[in-house]
Amino acid sequence: MLDVISNDKLTWFDIVDVTEDDFYTLNKYNYDFHELDKKDCLSIEQCRPKIEQYDDYRFVITHFPVEKKDNKGSIRLSMNELYFFWGENYLITIHSSEMSWLTNYFKQEKNGTIKKSPQSVDQLLYAILQNVVSQMRPIMSNIRYGIEKIDDNYGNERPEDVIKQISELRRNIIFLQSTLKPQKNIFAAFEKMQDQQEKNMDAYWGNIGDFLGKMMDMAEDDQELLEGLYSSIDTLLTFRTNKIMKILAMITVISLPLTTISGFYGMNVPLPFQNSINAIWGIISVMVIFCVIAVVLLIKINKN
């Protein structure tokens, strides 16, 4: 679906879920782009982030993470592609319907409800990309919240649930890092451009690049924090296992001599107390011996 905003200063085409018909429509507006660029936009497979410079336009592919819930209710990060055809007095944005915020921004710009509307193509592109990267703030906050939640509650939850939460956070952090890393090269290339309409745009592109660097540093810190948390939980689980094994060993050590002694009294051989006139006292005597052995073994085990 193609929509357009046009005035004396710039023209903005916004295309949602692009098709070949949309490029045919652009041809009617005298916009003709390289076939390989069109192929990248129409491709089902994801393309690598890149910037291609031609004589009369630039073609940019960017990737940005978005949060989605799977069938089990877990939050997983996925990747959305955003394409730009960037010319002297026009901008063409191509994206999926999942990027509803960009569609809403386009509608606000078209309706004139934005307080400070961009006055050039460079400003418009910067405003869009600034909004794109700002969408990552909630993602980083959710990752940090998930780590803090595990840190506060891992002692009260089942180990398998904790390990599952850690695995999900690890996956999201690695996905975030792999998504952001190529983007820094894009904005580094933006900073080096000398033929932009607006002066000092390199400072603005550098601002976005610095923000992405900050996000990557935060992701790296979260990854180290998660690794330390996993190590602590693994140590705790090992301690719990050792404690359980110790209890089982105590039961085994205590029951072994008692079982041996009681086994003798189940045999048809003469043994102490079995022919006693008062059999009850004989049984009590044997039980006392059992208890003394158990207490001695408990004392020995606790000392060790």
Side-chain angles (χ1 to χ4, degrees), residues 241-255:
T241 302
N242 292 338
K243 189 175 181 179
I244 293 173
M245 295 302 297
K246 181 179 180 180
I247 294 174
L248 293 176
M250 290 172 59
I251 295 173
T252 302
V253 172
I254 292 173
S255 62

Side-chain angles (χ1 to χ4, degrees), residues 28-71:
K28 294 182 178 180
Y29 286 93
N30 296 321
Y31 295 110
D32 189 20
F33 304 111
H34 198 285
E35 291 298 324
L36 292 178
D37 298 337
K38 296 179 184 179
K39 184 178 179 181
D40 287 339
C41 295
L42 295 170
S43 176
I44 299 176
E45 299 179 356
Q46 290 182 337
C47 305
R48 288 186 59 84
K50 66 178 182 178
I51 177 171
E52 298 286 352
Q53 299 193 52
Y54 299 91
D55 294 336
D56 54 345
Y57 76 93
R58 299 182 180 92
F59 176 62
V60 183
I61 301 178
T62 57
H63 291 171
F64 295 99
V66 292
E67 291 181 329
K68 290 184 178 179
K69 284 190 176 182
D70 58 18
N71 297 330

Side-chain angles (χ1 to χ4, degrees), residues 104-285:
N104 294 333
Y105 182 80
F106 179 87
K107 291 179 179 178
Q108 292 174 4
E109 178 69 26
K110 189 172 185 179
N111 297 332
T113 57
I114 297 179
K115 294 182 178 179
K116 189 176 181 181
S117 181
Q119 300 300 311
S120 67
V121 175
D122 295 341
Q123 290 181 6
L124 176 60
L125 180 60
Y126 173 75
I128 293 173
L129 290 173
Q130 188 181 39
N131 276 278
V132 171
V133 297
S134 66
Q135 304 297 316
M136 288 184 288
R137 293 183 184 273
I139 295 176
M140 297 302 302
S141 297
N142 290 337
I143 290 176
R144 184 61 60 89
Y145 173 76
I147 295 175
E148 292 176 353
K149 183 179 178 182
I150 293 175
D151 190 23
D152 294 337
N153 301 321
Y154 70 83
N156 302 323
E157 296 186 12
R158 296 187 305 171
E160 53 267 29
D161 293 336
V162 176
I163 298 301
K164 179 182 177 182
Q165 295 174 24
I166 290 178
S167 299
E168 292 173 354
L169 287 173
R170 272 180 170 174
R171 188 261 180 195
N172 288 341
I173 290 174
I174 294 174
F175 186 90
L176 183 66
Q177 290 174 321
S178 62
T179 303
L180 295 183
K181 188 175 181 180
Q183 311 301 321
K184 293 192 67 176
N185 298 329
I186 299 294
F187 292 101
F190 282 3
E191 287 186 75
K192 297 177 182 178
M193 293 179 182
Q194 302 296 328
D195 56 344
Q196 301 181 63
Q197 293 179 352
E198 293 289 327
K199 296 181 179 180
N200 301 323
M201 281 302 297
D202 54 340
Y204 291 93
W205 302 131
N207 180 54
I208 296 181
D210 292 341
F211 180 83
L212 292 178
K214 181 180 179 181
M215 292 295 103
M216 292 182 62
D217 291 340
M218 291 177 63
E220 185 176 352
D221 293 341
D222 288 342
Q223 187 175 26
E224 293 179 358
L225 184 60
L226 197 61
E227 291 295 335
L229 187 59
Y230 177 80
S231 178
S232 299
I233 293 174
D234 185 58
T235 302
L236 178 62
L237 293 177
T238 302
F239 175 76
R240 288 180 178 178
T241 302
N242 292 338
K243 189 175 181 179
I244 293 173
M245 295 302 297
K246 181 179 180 180
I247 294 174
L248 293 176
M250 290 172 59
I251 295 173
T252 302
V253 172
I254 292 173
S255 62
L256 181 61
L258 304 183
T259 303
T260 303
I261 295 174
S262 62
F264 281 119
Y265 281 89
M267 302 170 61
N268 293 323
V269 295
L271 292 171
F273 305 114
Q274 73 176 23
N275 294 323
S276 174
I277 297 176
N278 193 346
I280 295 178
W281 285 107
I283 295 173
I284 292 175
S285 301

Side-chain angles (χ1 to χ4, degrees), residues 253-255 257 292-302:
V253 172
I254 292 173
S255 62
V292 171
I293 294 175
V295 171
V296 172
L297 290 174
L298 282 172
I299 294 173
K300 290 291 184 181
I301 292 174
N302 288 329

Side-chain angles (χ1 to χ4, degrees), residues 7-12 31 86-91 121 197:
N7 54 43
D8 296 337
K9 297 180 179 180
L10 61 88
T11 300
W12 179 13
Y31 295 110
W86 177 14
E88 182 178 354
N89 58 354
Y90 69 89
L91 181 68
V121 175
Q197 293 179 352

